[in-house]
């Protein structure tokens, strides 16, 4: 493809080192779509005759059938997906196939293909994120009223509703969806027509190709158009946050399913056994999701490092932009799919959760709040309750197991109603920033989440 300038053939190792067809062939359908749009525009503007454009488009459509059927033969010596398809087109329709490259460079071609592919992938991942959100909402609705311990520093802090805990992850994934949706505004811009870096002398119609390919606009600067990979970095950053949230959820499922916690039972379909210990049930899906998070982080850092020293415009370094993005998209797809499949099969252990929520004096803050409502300054109330906790610890009792006389010895403001205040249901329902009870708060969040998901289809 560049033989006119060179006096000797490319070294075989250089050829293999330079080739990208082993991984960029997955852009084939998007490359063909971009070529059809380009050929259509060339015919409409008179740069090619209508007959030439029609022959090229017919040949491209035949190649699409071969690619979809898996019968297309890829050649490493043709370096990349673009040259493989253009060479095959020329073989099938003759020299006229070479006219397809008129007013186009591989630089703006690959930038276009990459954006088209990532746009489709982003839409698919948004759909999977919604499935995970839907699974969380369904689980929260199914287990309304189930009480579990809430933690800070991985120490029992205050009782919460299991549904409230699950819906915290719904909020994380809703933000993730918002980031992906927002990224489409910058991703969905056409670089086609920028040429190698400085545009083209042919009277092309960039707006027409952008329209044919579903882009919302065209890149304004040709140097930026061919060298911009911000959209790929933005995708990897959003993907890293999604994986971080999946990893946090996975970590909790791993802890909760352990014998020490015993809060949930994971489905057999999403766990594995041990080759030597017959009693084992390992949370491999959750562990792998947690482990693959670092892999996605690595792809983000890798692309940022590749881009940080590149002068304008296109450099071969940019060939390194795709493998990490491809792998990240694949990783996200499987992790989101498995999480959405696992959540409906999760079985919580209500009695174990409730028992754990009642341990470690998780109602101590509510006793302090009670005293503050009785008129005692909160700092004094905090000290009084601390002393009561210390006494209960010495005697091996929970706070509510102390007698009224023992409590009143610490503070005369304590009345008989304190035992209702310290009851788990009272503790949970007394704390709601939404007004009403904690159940009211969860129901309100569920209603908002369901309306949002249903509104998005």
């Amino acid at each position: 493809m560049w033989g006119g300038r060179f006096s000797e053939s490319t070294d075989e190792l250089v050829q293999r080192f330079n080739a990208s067809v082993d991984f960029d062939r997955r852009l084939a359908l998007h490359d063909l779509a971009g070529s059809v749009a380009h050929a259509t525009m060339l015919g409409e503007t008179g740069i090619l005759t209508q007959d030439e454009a029609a022959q090229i488009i017919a040949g491209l459509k035949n190649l699409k059938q071969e690619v979809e059927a898996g019968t297309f033969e890829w050649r490493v010596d043709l370096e990349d997906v673009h040259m493989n398809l253009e060479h095959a087109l020329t073989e099938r329709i003759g020299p006229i196939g070479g006219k397809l490259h008129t007013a186009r460079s591989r630089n703006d071609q690959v930038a276009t293909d990459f954006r088209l592919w990532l746009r489709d992938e982003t839409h698919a991942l948004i759909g999977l994120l919604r499935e995970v959100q839907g699974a969380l909402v369904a689980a929260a609705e199914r287990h309304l009223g189930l009480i579990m311990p809430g933690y800070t520093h991985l120490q029992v802090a205050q009782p919460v509703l299991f549904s409230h805990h699950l819906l915290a992850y719904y909020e994380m994934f809703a933000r993730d969806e918002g980031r992906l949706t927002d990224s489409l505004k910058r991703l969905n811009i056409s670089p086609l027509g920028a040429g190698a870096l400085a545009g083209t002398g042919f009277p092309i119609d960039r707006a027409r190709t952008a329209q044919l390919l579903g882009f919302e606009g065209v890149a304004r600067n040709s140097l930026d158009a061919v060298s911009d990979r911000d959209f790929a970095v933005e995708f990897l950053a959003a993907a890293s946050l999604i994986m971080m949230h999946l990893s946090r959820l996975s970590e909790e499922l791993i802890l909760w399913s352990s014998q020490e916690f015993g809060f949930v039972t994971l489905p057999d379909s999403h766990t594995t056994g041990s080759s030597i210990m017959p009693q084992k049930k390992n949370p491999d899906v959750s562990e792998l999701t947690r482990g693959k998070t670092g892999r996605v982080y690595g792809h983000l850092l890798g692309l940022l490092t590749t881009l940080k020293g590149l002068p304008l415009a296109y450099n071969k370094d940019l060939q390194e932009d795709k493998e990490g993005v491809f792998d990240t998209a694949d990783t996200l797809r499987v992790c989101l799919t498995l999480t959405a499949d696992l959540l409906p099969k999760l079985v919580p252990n209500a009695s174990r959760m409730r028992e754990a929520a009642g341990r470690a004096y998780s109602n101590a803050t509510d006793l302090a709040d009670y005293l503050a409502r009785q008129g005692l300054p909160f700092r004094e109330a905090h000290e009084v309750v601390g002393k009561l906790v210390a006494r209960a610890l010495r005697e091996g009792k929970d706070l509510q197991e102390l007698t009224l006389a023992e409590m009143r010895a610490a503070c005369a403001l304590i009345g008989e109603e304190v035992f209702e205040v310290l009851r788990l249901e009272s503790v949970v329902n007394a704390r709601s920033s939404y007004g009403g009870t904690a159940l009211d708060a969860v129901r309100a969040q569920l209603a908002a989440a369901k309306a949002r998901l249903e509104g998005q289809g």
Side-chain angles (χ1 to χ4, degrees):
M1 51 189 152
W2 48 66
R5 164 66 176 81
F6 291 78
S7 58
E8 60 179 314
S9 59
T10 306
D11 181 89
E12 184 179 348
L13 181 57
V14 171
Q15 190 176 80
R16 291 200 303 273
F17 184 65
N18 201 45
S20 59
V21 68
D22 286 343
F23 58 85
D24 68 16
R25 67 175 69 175
R26 72 190 296 171
L27 298 176
L29 293 177
H30 297 87
D31 187 80
L32 290 166
S35 291
V36 168
H38 184 64
T40 299
M41 180 275 295
L42 292 177
E44 290 176 352
T45 55
I47 297 171
L48 297 183
T49 68
Q50 288 291 337
D51 181 62
E52 289 172 331
Q55 289 184 60
I56 289 172
I57 291 169
L60 290 169
K61 289 181 178 178
N62 287 332
L63 286 178
K64 180 183 177 184
Q65 292 176 351
E66 289 184 39
V67 170
E68 289 177 331
T71 58
F72 187 86
E73 293 187 12
W74 300 97
R75 289 171 46 182
V76 173
D77 62 303
L78 291 172
E79 188 176 328
D80 59 26
V81 60
H82 322 293
M83 293 311 301
N84 266 267
L85 292 173
E86 184 180 322
H87 182 272
L89 177 68
T90 303
E91 279 191 331
R92 286 157 178 72
I93 69 172
I96 196 172
K99 292 192 173 186
L100 173 62
H101 207 54
T102 305
R104 185 173 69 169
S105 165
R106 282 193 299 171
N107 293 357
D108 61 341
Q109 186 178 357
V110 66
T112 302
D113 294 354
F114 199 13
R115 285 174 182 265
L116 289 171
W117 179 89
L118 190 53
R119 184 179 69 189
D120 285 351
E121 202 66 25
T122 298
H123 282 299
L125 290 169
I126 287 172
L128 289 174
L129 271 170
R130 290 178 184 170
E131 289 185 22
V132 173
Q133 291 172 66
L136 287 164
V137 167
E141 196 166 36
R142 192 163 54 248
H143 301 298
L144 270 176
L146 198 162
I147 295 175
M148 69 172 293
Y151 294 85
T152 62
H153 308 279
L154 205 54
Q155 305 296 312
V156 174
Q158 294 174 291
V160 296
L161 291 174
F162 181 56
S163 297
H164 192 55
H165 196 117
L166 291 177
L167 290 175
Y169 285 101
Y170 165 86
E171 296 295 336
M172 297 180 206
F173 293 124
R175 292 194 298 272
D176 290 328
E177 180 190 335
R179 273 183 283 271
L180 286 181
T181 300
D182 187 63
S183 74
L184 290 169
K185 298 174 186 176
R186 291 166 292 281
L187 168 64
N188 203 25
I189 299 296
S190 175
L192 198 56
L197 78 161
T200 175
F202 290 93
I204 61 173
D205 186 348
R206 297 186 64 207
R208 177 59 173 152
T209 51
Q211 177 192 39
L212 289 169
L213 293 170
F215 286 116
E216 293 178 1
V218 296
R220 290 189 293 265
N221 185 287
S222 60
L223 283 87
D224 180 57
V226 297
S227 62
D228 169 34
R229 293 300 183 271
D230 289 2
F231 63 90
V233 172
E234 190 169 2
F235 170 75
L236 291 172
S240 294
L241 281 166
I242 295 170
M243 288 302 298
M244 181 266 286
H245 294 148
L246 286 170
S247 183
R248 293 183 72 179
L249 176 58
S250 297
E251 170 68 11
E252 296 214 293
L253 294 178
I254 292 164
L255 289 173
W256 291 350
S257 63
S258 68
Q259 285 76 15
E260 288 74 17
F261 279 77
F263 290 176
V264 300
T265 300
L266 298 178
D268 288 354
S269 58
H270 289 65
T271 52
T272 64
S274 164
S275 63
I276 189 172
M277 294 168 283
Q279 85 282 6
K280 291 291 295 298
K281 184 175 180 179
N282 299 327
D284 282 8
V285 167
S286 299
E287 290 177 352
L288 280 171
T289 299
R290 185 178 60 184
K292 288 179 183 293
T293 300
R295 175 184 184 133
V296 172
Y297 290 178
H299 292 320
L300 171 60
L301 185 58
L303 183 55
L304 284 169
T305 304
T306 296
L307 295 172
K308 75 175 183 65
L310 295 187
L312 290 173
Y314 183 86
N315 296 271
K316 190 69 172 182
D317 312 51
L318 290 176
Q319 185 169 290
E320 293 296 305
D321 62 353
K322 297 174 197 66
E323 287 177 281
V325 172
F326 291 160
D327 184 69
T328 293
D330 292 344
T331 301
L332 270 182
R333 273 181 177 266
V334 68
C335 290
L336 287 169
T337 299
L338 287 172
T339 300
D341 289 345
L342 182 153
L343 287 170
K345 301 175 182 178
L346 197 69
V347 179
N349 185 336
S351 61
R352 187 69 176 264
M353 283 186 176
R354 183 184 173 83
E355 177 193 354
R359 292 199 305 259
Y361 310 101
S362 63
N363 50 7
T365 301
D366 297 87
L367 180 54
D369 288 344
Y370 163 78
L371 290 174
R373 287 194 295 271
Q374 301 300 106
L376 194 66
F378 182 80
R379 285 302 172 196
E380 293 182 32
H382 188 285
E383 183 177 357
V384 167
V385 175
K387 291 177 179 178
L388 286 172
V389 168
R391 176 170 186 167
L393 276 168
R394 289 194 301 271
E395 298 178 10
K397 298 178 179 178
D398 289 327
L399 275 175
Q400 62 271 26
E401 291 176 330
L402 294 174
T403 67
L404 180 59
E406 288 171 331
M407 291 190 190
R408 287 181 65 85
C411 181
L413 293 173
I414 297 176
E416 291 185 1
E417 68 278 5
V418 72
F419 296 105
E420 174 59 27
V421 169
L422 294 176
R423 198 167 62 89
L424 277 185
E425 284 76 11
S426 300
V427 168
V428 171
N429 285 319
R431 290 192 311 275
S432 172
S433 59
Y434 293 84
T437 68
L439 271 175
D440 291 334
V442 167
R443 288 193 179 103
Q445 192 182 3
L446 279 171
K450 289 167 70 175
R452 178 179 171 276
L453 290 171
E454 289 167 6
Q456 291 172 335

